[in-house]
Amino acid sequence: MCTSLQRGTGLSTPLSVSSMSQFKSADDLADFLKYFRADSIVNDAEFIRVRLVPNAGPWTILGQ
């Protein structure tokens, strides 16, 4: 069984005012924050899926 954590939870470094203030511009911060969106997380799962079972069709998974 394979489990994973959503970005920004578990062992990830939490975002704070201090960490976000390290970005030089609002655009740079927005570019970083887009990786925490659900569509980016789905893309990560798809990346893993096609490498584990390249010829398989789409997976149906359940998460909570």
Side-chain angles (χ1 to χ4, degrees), residues 16-30:
S16 66
V17 172
S18 176
S19 65
M20 290 188 293
S21 68
Q22 303 300 312
F23 290 91
K24 297 183 191 299
S25 71
D27 286 338
D28 290 343
L29 177 58

Side-chain angles (χ1 to χ4, degrees), residues 6-56:
Q6 183 172 339
R7 281 190 193 104
T9 65
L11 300 176
S12 297
T13 302
L15 291 174
S16 66
V17 172
S18 176
S19 65
M20 290 188 293
S21 68
Q22 303 300 312
F23 290 91
K24 297 183 191 299
S25 71
D27 286 338
D28 290 343
L29 177 58
D31 285 341
F32 176 72
L33 292 175
K34 74 179 179 184
Y35 294 109
F36 293 86
R37 292 172 35 130
D39 59 333
S40 292
I41 296 164
V42 169
N43 289 336
D44 288 347
E46 184 67 6
F47 178 88
I48 293 166
R49 180 189 70 79
V50 298
R51 277 149 187 84
L52 288 177
V53 189
N55 297 321

